[in-house]
Amino acid sequence: MILPITQQDSNTRSVKDLSVLLVSLFLAGCVTIPPDAFVVTPDLQQKRQVETRRYDGINEVDLVTASANVLQDLGFNLENSETKLGVITASKERDATQGMEIAATALASIFLFTPAAPVAAAYLIGSPAHSKDQTIRVALVVRPVIDSKGNSMTDNYFVRVTFQRIVRRTDNSIKAETLKDPQLYQDFFERLSKSVFLEAQKI
Amino acid sequence: MKSILPVFMLCVLLLSGCATTNQQILDIGDETQLQKRSYQSRAFETADKEKVLRAIISTLQDLGFVIDRADLMLGSISATKLDGNQIRITVSVRPKGDDRMLVRANAQFNVSPVEDPKQYQNFFSSLEKSLFLTAHAGE
């Protein structure tokens, strides 16, 4: 419905503006699911590499136990587990305040009293909220390595782990993300390897 | 006064689009239960429940989901994907006859149900690859 613009009636004009606003508000509510939400993209395949390690010469029970122990080492509380399927989920709540964010705000507040005030004010208005706290979630899955004939191998397992976090800001807005930093996963698997070693030695 | 009328009508139109509480709770839409089941289910030619469940878990992980819950006896897996938005999915497995497993999935995106059959088709074709089995139309 496109109304031609006429000069005579300012009322019509404002009605048109209002309709446009309403329609755009209405459309903004229609965020739809990404079309490739259930397709394995090359990007996701690469994530599999980062999130997976293979452990040989250990049985499934010992590997799941070692994994649960390492999650406790990292301060996680176990949420859910189904050891028959090799699944463990855990979570923890942590502070999420970042020194940089607070420092930037403090710095901008100081600059309010200098000639750079407009820039500082724009910054303060633009990003008033800080990260406040966060829930960190982890899911860890142990699965047997499948040989070329399609059978599960004994004492050869893959461990795949994924971290997510939900960050709450001071204005109560929420940011949810899956963590992608390869270094994080590298560090995690180093700790798991240690735990597997300890488990194997029954220490 | 005349100029208010279109705005008023638009508002009525917008509000009438809102579902009632009962409709929201029971997710009553345009499609029948049977239609929903048919695009949300597939049958796989295997009697190994554990194998299917493990394949579902690794497919979901490949798709960027984090597993929330798993239960071998009930045959169900729930998972969440967070990527600026939230997708939640529950997949259940139950035997169908002696040699088949019926896999059923239902998902929600943010606050609305996923009702596009294409999305489920994508999910099942990812699952096919990890199970090395062909999916057959369920129900």
Side-chain angles (χ1 to χ4, degrees):
Chain A
M1 177 180 64
I2 298 165
L3 301 170
I5 300 169
T6 48
Q7 289 119 330
Q8 82 283 23
D9 194 354
S10 66
N11 239 346
T12 321
R13 192 97 181 250
S14 65
V15 167
K16 187 200 157 207
D17 288 349
L18 197 61
S19 322
V20 169
L21 185 74
L22 270 174
V23 169
S24 54
L25 266 179
F26 182 64
L27 287 179
C30 300
V31 183
T32 51
I33 184 166
D36 61 351
F38 292 104
V39 180
V40 181
T41 58
D43 181 42
L44 287 168
Q45 270 166 349
Q46 205 190 335
K47 272 181 66 190
R48 170 154 72 174
Q49 302 290 321
V50 171
E51 295 175 2
T52 311
R53 286 289 184 284
R54 180 174 166 165
Y55 290 88
D56 293 339
I58 183 167
N59 67 45
E60 188 166 15
V61 174
D62 284 352
L63 190 50
V64 171
T65 312
S67 303
N69 277 336
V70 79
L71 288 174
Q72 283 189 289
D73 290 345
L74 303 175
F76 284 94
N77 297 115
L78 297 191
E79 255 183 4
N80 213 289
S81 57
E82 175 62 296
T83 39
K84 288 177 209 139
L85 294 171
V87 175
I88 302 175
T89 66
S91 70
K92 61 181 176 184
E93 320 266 313
R94 287 294 181 268
D95 188 68
T97 40
Q98 296 203 330
M100 283 300 282
E101 283 181 353
I102 291 173
T105 308
L107 205 63
S109 315
I110 293 168
F111 274 107
L112 277 177
F113 303 101
T114 68
V119 181
Y123 174 80
L124 286 173
I125 293 165
S127 61
H130 298 143
S131 303
K132 189 173 58 178
D133 52 25
Q134 58 187 336
T135 302
I136 304 167
R137 300 188 57 233
V138 55
L140 185 146
V141 179
V142 176
R143 69 169 198 275
V145 178
I146 307 291
D147 66 14
S148 53
K149 287 175 192 151
N151 302 317
S152 309
M153 293 167 73
T154 45
D155 291 356
N156 292 280
Y157 293 93
F158 287 117
V159 173
R160 178 162 181 174
V161 72
T162 315
F163 291 93
Q164 287 179 337
R165 64 178 197 145
I166 299 156
V167 182
R168 285 168 293 273
R169 295 210 185 85
T170 42
D171 63 353
N172 283 333
S173 63
I174 281 177
K175 184 176 82 172
E177 61 181 354
T178 300
L179 299 174
K180 291 182 182 128
D181 185 4
Q183 188 61 46
L184 169 73
Y185 291 93
Q186 174 97 33
D187 288 351
F188 174 81
F189 283 114
E190 267 171 33
R191 286 172 169 80
L192 180 57
S193 298
K194 255 176 228 161
S195 178
V196 165
F197 173 77
L198 293 176
E199 195 63 38
Q201 308 295 316
K202 298 287 174 208
I203 298 172
Chain B
M1 258 306 143
K2 234 184 216 172
S3 58
I4 305 287
L5 197 66
V7 178
F8 177 73
M9 280 172 67
L10 191 67
C11 287
V12 169
L13 209 70
L14 284 180
L15 286 176
S16 63
C18 292
T20 66
T21 310
N22 282 358
Q23 277 171 332
Q24 284 163 351
I25 291 171
L26 301 177
D27 255 358
I28 302 172
D30 303 328
E31 46 198 4
T32 65
Q33 261 170 289
L34 210 62
Q35 276 173 319
K36 231 180 230 181
R37 282 192 190 194
S38 82
Y39 67 70
Q40 291 185 348
S41 326
R42 292 288 187 283
F44 290 91
E45 274 169 17
T46 174
D48 191 342
K49 191 181 192 181
E50 189 180 322
K51 177 177 150 187
V52 177
L53 281 167
R54 284 190 188 258
I56 291 166
I57 292 171
S58 66
T59 303
L60 288 171
Q61 286 193 303
D62 284 350
L63 292 168
F65 282 81
V66 166
I67 309 299
D68 299 326
R69 249 157 236 277
D71 192 316
L72 177 62
M73 196 131 100
L74 194 60
S76 73
I77 313 282
S78 293
T80 307
K81 181 173 179 171
L82 299 175
D83 193 10
N85 47 57
Q86 177 183 285
I87 304 174
R88 288 211 67 202
I89 188 167
T90 294
V91 187
S92 65
V93 178
R94 61 191 169 86
K96 192 185 187 215
D98 287 339
D99 56 349
R100 290 180 137 200
M101 295 310 267
L102 188 74
V103 179
R104 160 92 188 257
N106 69 308
Q108 61 179 53
F109 173 77
N110 288 342
V111 291
S112 45
V114 175
E115 285 172 338
D116 180 3
K118 184 83 182 77
Q119 298 283 357
Y120 294 98
Q121 203 180 312
N122 286 341
F123 170 73
F124 287 117
S125 74
S126 303
L127 180 60
E128 271 183 334
K129 279 170 209 149
S130 113
L131 260 176
F132 300 109
L133 286 173
T134 316
H136 300 282
E139 290 305 308

